[in-house]
Amino acid sequence: MLISSYRLTQSHALLDERIRTETERLIPNCLRLLRLKRLRLDVKDRPRPRALRLRLN
């Protein structure tokens, strides 16, 4: 796996974990959840490395 795609995968997994932890709190912070979800979408929408794109097509 390419280092850049590995980092994106790790970032996405970390954000998923933080979102899950926040939603399980007694009183979840809605603003924090919104920020974490937005960051997760930003990570997902980052351009993939060229080699990975060619492999998927």
Side-chain angles (χ1 to χ4, degrees), residues 9-51:
T9 303
Q10 289 298 313
S11 298
H12 199 273
L14 176 65
L15 287 167
D16 279 341
E17 178 65 25
R18 292 171 93 185
I19 289 169
R20 187 185 62 76
T21 303
E22 187 63 35
T23 56
E24 291 176 350
R25 290 177 55 155
L26 186 59
I27 302 173
N29 185 334
C30 294
L31 293 177
R32 184 178 293 147
L33 272 174
L34 185 65
R35 190 181 117 261
L36 289 171
K37 288 179 179 182
R38 183 67 204 152
L39 284 171
R40 184 178 60 181
L41 283 175
D42 288 343
V43 167
K44 183 182 143 198
D45 291 341
R46 285 186 191 155
R48 295 182 183 179
R50 189 177 191 304

